[in-house]
Amino acid sequence: MARTPTKKPAATTRRASSGARKAAGKSDAARKPATSRRRKSAVVRKRTGIVVRLVKFGIVAAIWAFVLVGGVFAYHAYQLPDITDLDRYERQGATRLLDRDGALFVSYGALHGRPVTAANLPPPLINALVATEDRRFFSHFGIDPISILRAALVNLKAGRTVQGGSTLTQQLAKNVFLSADRSYSRKIQELLLAFWLEHRFSKQEILAIYLNRVYFGAGAYGVDAAARKYYRRPVEDLTAYQSAMLVGLLKAPSRYNPAVDRARSEGRTRQVLLNMADAGYLTEDEAERIAARPSAIQGAAGVSRNHRYFADWARERANGYAGPGGGDRTIRTTLDRRLQRIAEQAVSEGMKRGAKKGARQVAMVVMSPDGAVRAMIGGRDYAASQFNRATQALRQPGSAFKPFVYLAALEAGYTPSTRLPDTPVALNGWTPRNFDGRYRGDVTLEDALANSLNAATVNLSEAIGRRRALSVARRLGVTATLPDRPSLALGAGEVTVLEMTAAYAAFANHGQFVSPYAVERIQTSADGAIFARDDSAAPQVVDARIVAALNQMLQSVVESGTGRKARIGRPAAGKTGTSQDFRDAWFIGYTADLVAGVWVGRDDASFMDGVTGGSLPAEIWAAFMAEAEDGPPRPLALNLN
């Protein structure tokens, strides 16, 4: 009979179950740290993998960035210009014109001085440049991080670009070799080139290269050109003030040009001197003392722009002698700047009066008796019109042509006292009249010329044969077309002021032929002197005794005839000329030292309001001569023996 099981096994079972649970709990507890460790290990491995991947990516990115940046720099480095031979940097040739004293008065093209070395640079110039443009020049490596940071802060505070941080080396790279655009590409090239320059050249050499190439205004490139342009001296002889002035120009060459604005230039120069004091090169007292005694400029001022009429003509003549050529060319001319200034002043004052009578244009030529042109004015304003009315305009000389007729008569055997009829004359329907409408009967040659009697002159011309007058004009250098008709005697042809003045110069030159000239010598930088004027004696084209007789007659024109307004208190001779309807008015005259011709009129050949050669042109001539003649009076050649 089976027994009903007791409860004991159940308890045992419960104990067993409890033990199992305990055992299982112990097993779970043992498994949990292992799992956690595995999880942590997995996290670590995952994180390590990420770091490794990031490191790998970073390395790869860095490599590619290096390659990319290196490629960019290599590309821009490949585009850089060659700097191994800066002294042979290509540039167009320039033409420099010097006056009769050897001073530069105009240049065509960029004016470059001789290359200077570091040894040629005076210490004040170097100190002024470094103190003003780059204080840490001798310590930086091509760029100046301190200056860049300072400029960035200043610009940030101002909200705009007001200051730059470029070094002199960067300025050299930018201004000489690179374009002016502000692209990143150009900035990269500037930095590369600055490093390259610092590596290739010494600091002193960089300064010399910079100063040889930088622009100083007034067409002058390089400090030697600037020193000679402004002060007529080589760079080695620059004073502290002159050095500071030139360095001051670098900021704005036109704005601080002493010839343009002296006060502004002096203020800028003072600032440069104070910069030198702040940098320790001068004391403040020394800077103020130097600034208080500015150096007057010599070569960049002195004549107005109207001297360009002479310059253009002289340059054209030089090209005719030696060809246009290439490279730098220096032309020594005959220009006298004192006489040019006097002529310009006389013309300016005269034309203010002449404007009221319809005079619009003027031309004037001044030369010595041998033909050296000392001054020239080709119009009222060169800037408004470069047409040279002294050398290019053909105008009727009127009675200024009459001396050729009277000279021909003297050669034919007449004398100043020979009498001729001042009576009405009719030639093929043409009847010339005297200016005042009156006829004087028989008059002497001297009186007829002094009073510019038309009827007497035509009678004389026809009596001796007008071809004689034509021959005289040709011998004296008049090349213009002249009419072979009775009106020739009264100046019906057309001539230039230059040719007429040169013809009269032969009267002052004792009958020797006068060819007007402007060029004494031409020199090139490569070949030295390529032209020098031949000073051999000019041919005698009129007998000196005949010229002396004519001088006597033309002196009467000034003393008692139509040219009385040209009297200057010393021996002078000349002749007035007025074309029909007051279209042209002339006075050409001379002393023993100078010959000058003046023409007044209008470009369109319309008439003026009663302007004659004996009025405005004679007044301009007298105003010029009265100031130009500063020596003791000398008589004209009047010896008839």
Side-chain angles (χ1 to χ4, degrees):
M1 184 170 138
R3 293 181 177 179
T4 302
T6 63
K7 301 251 184 195
K8 216 169 189 180
T12 303
T13 301
R14 284 194 299 271
R15 286 196 295 268
S17 177
S18 176
R21 285 195 300 272
K22 288 180 180 179
K26 289 180 180 179
S27 177
D28 290 343
R31 286 197 300 270
K32 284 180 180 178
T35 301
S36 178
R37 285 194 297 272
R38 285 196 297 272
R39 289 175 179 171
K40 289 180 179 178
S41 177
V43 169
V44 169
R45 286 196 301 273
K46 184 177 181 180
R47 289 176 178 174
T48 301
I50 292 173
V51 171
V52 170
R53 286 194 296 272
L54 287 174
V55 170
K56 289 181 178 179
F57 177 79
I59 292 173
V60 172
I63 292 172
W64 277 108
F66 178 80
V67 171
L68 180 62
V69 172
V72 170
F73 275 84
Y75 170 78
H76 286 90
Y78 181 76
Q79 303 296 321
L80 291 177
D82 184 13
I83 66 169
T84 57
D85 199 3
L86 297 187
D87 288 337
R88 295 184 183 178
Y89 193 77
E90 291 296 327
R91 57 180 176 81
Q92 292 185 341
T95 299
R96 310 191 318 161
L97 270 65
L98 312 182
D99 64 15
R100 66 179 302 191
D101 296 322
L104 177 70
F105 72 93
V106 77
S107 61
Y108 294 86
L111 176 63
H112 295 261
R114 61 183 175 86
V116 297
T117 64
N120 299 129
L121 300 176
L125 179 64
I126 296 175
N127 297 341
L129 180 63
V130 171
T132 302
E133 297 293 331
D134 190 354
R135 292 281 178 93
R136 280 174 289 278
F137 173 75
F138 289 105
S139 60
H140 64 62
F141 50 90
I143 64 172
D144 186 355
I146 297 176
S147 293
I148 294 173
L149 180 60
R150 182 186 67 247
L153 293 174
V154 170
N155 295 337
L156 183 63
K157 184 177 180 180
R160 57 190 177 88
T161 302
V162 296
Q163 190 176 105
S166 295
T167 64
L168 282 173
T169 313
Q170 287 176 274
Q171 291 180 40
L172 176 61
K174 176 174 60 178
N175 295 337
V176 177
F177 300 106
L178 303 175
S179 63
D181 67 84
R182 298 186 177 185
S183 65
Y184 289 110
S185 178
R186 194 206 57 77
K187 196 65 179 177
I188 292 173
Q189 285 187 312
E190 178 186 314
L191 293 175
L192 288 173
L193 195 51
F195 294 145
W196 194 359
L197 287 167
E198 290 278 346
H199 173 73
R200 175 67 176 79
F201 300 101
S202 69
K203 290 287 188 179
Q204 294 291 341
E205 288 173 330
I206 290 174
L207 284 178
I209 295 169
Y210 178 89
L211 288 170
N212 277 333
R213 305 303 183 112
V214 75
Y215 183 57
F216 286 90
Y221 286 84
V223 70
D224 184 68
R228 297 176 190 277
K229 176 86 173 180
Y230 292 100
Y231 295 113
R232 298 187 192 174
R233 60 176 58 191
V235 64
E236 295 90 337
D237 296 340
L238 289 173
T239 66
Y241 183 92
Q242 293 165 353
S243 297
M245 193 284 288
L246 293 180
V247 168
L249 287 172
L250 298 177
K251 184 176 182 180
S254 297
R255 180 179 176 85
Y256 296 113
N257 187 329
V260 175
D261 192 328
R262 180 177 176 180
R264 180 175 287 165
S265 173
E266 290 179 358
R268 174 63 179 162
T269 304
R270 178 177 177 272
Q271 181 59 57
V272 173
L273 290 167
L274 292 176
N275 292 343
M276 295 171 69
D278 188 54
Y281 297 118
L282 297 172
T283 66
E284 190 169 336
D285 287 343
E286 287 174 333
E288 293 289 4
R289 187 166 60 252
I290 295 170
R293 301 181 64 183
S295 297
I297 59 172
Q298 302 292 325
V303 292
S304 80
R305 60 191 171 193
N306 282 345
H307 72 289
R308 290 295 297 267
Y309 287 114
F310 173 90
D312 289 350
W313 176 65
R315 184 192 187 199
E316 181 183 347
R317 302 283 284 196
N319 289 342
Y321 298 144
D328 290 345
R329 175 176 292 187
T330 300
I331 303 171
R332 183 73 171 260
T333 74
T334 58
L335 181 72
D336 186 312
R337 277 203 265 190
R338 183 183 76 89
L339 297 181
Q340 179 73 26
R341 288 195 300 270
I342 296 171
E344 290 177 6
Q345 182 65 28
V347 164
S348 176
E349 294 299 323
M351 292 304 289
K352 289 177 183 177
R353 301 189 304 273
K356 300 175 183 178
K357 291 185 173 292
R360 295 289 181 266
Q361 280 299 344
V362 63
M364 185 174 186
V365 173
V366 179
M367 64 179 67
S368 56
D370 70 342
V373 177
R374 303 302 185 191
M376 177 181 288
I377 298 171
R380 294 194 68 179
D381 187 355
Y382 180 87
S385 171
Q386 289 79 56
F387 179 70
N388 192 334
R389 295 155 187 84
T391 64
Q392 295 174 288
L394 291 168
R395 306 300 299 230
Q396 287 194 354
S399 295
F401 189 85
K402 288 177 179 176
F404 305 147
V405 176
Y406 285 82
L407 184 57
L410 293 172
E411 288 184 329
Y414 288 67
T415 70
S417 59
T418 300
R419 304 188 74 83
L420 70 156
D422 179 42
T423 55
V425 58
L427 298 168
N428 298 324
W430 179 63
T431 306
R433 295 183 301 171
N434 291 332
F435 183 77
D436 59 6
R438 297 188 300 111
Y439 299 94
R440 292 161 177 78
D442 283 352
V443 294
T444 64
L445 262 67
E446 186 167 342
D447 287 340
L449 184 57
N451 294 290
S452 200
L453 301 179
N454 291 337
T457 303
V458 172
N459 280 324
L460 178 63
S461 176
E462 293 302 302
I464 64 172
R466 69 181 77 106
R467 290 188 177 275
R468 288 180 178 268
L470 278 170
S471 173
V472 167
R474 296 297 185 220
R475 274 185 281 145
L476 293 176
V478 177
T479 61
T481 301
L482 299 172
D484 185 6
R485 56 177 185 265
S487 58
L488 169 72
L490 304 185
E494 293 183 331
V495 294
T496 66
V497 177
L498 181 66
E499 279 193 348
M500 287 294 289
T501 306
Y504 274 60
F507 306 155
N509 200 29
H510 309 286
Q512 288 185 317
F513 178 77
V514 173
S515 177
Y517 68 95
V519 179
E520 294 276 11
R521 183 181 178 87
I522 304 173
Q523 188 165 341
T524 67
S525 55
D527 303 319
I530 59 174
F531 170 82
R533 182 177 176 273
D534 183 3
D535 290 327
S536 58
Q540 193 80 28
V541 292
V542 181
D543 187 279
R545 291 173 298 176
I546 300 297
V547 170
L550 184 67
N551 285 343
Q552 173 186 312
M553 297 165 66
L554 291 176
Q555 190 167 5
S556 295
V557 173
V558 174
E559 293 299 325
S560 59
T562 58
R564 289 188 296 273
K565 289 189 176 180
R567 287 181 292 191
I568 55 174
R570 65 170 62 212
K575 185 67 185 75
T576 58
T578 309
S579 67
Q580 190 174 13
D581 296 327
F582 305 103
R583 299 174 189 274
D584 304 276
W586 298 67
F587 185 83
I588 309 173
Y590 52 96
T591 64
D593 305 299
L594 290 173
V595 186
V598 179
W599 166 87
V600 171
R602 299 169 70 107
D603 284 340
D604 61 2
S606 58
F607 61 86
M608 296 177 286
D609 185 13
V611 177
T612 66
S615 60
L616 184 57
E619 292 167 0
I620 292 173
W621 187 93
F624 167 78
M625 283 291 188
E627 188 173 351
E629 290 279 17
D630 55 359
R634 294 201 300 141
L636 299 174
L638 299 177
N639 183 9
L640 302 183
N641 296 324

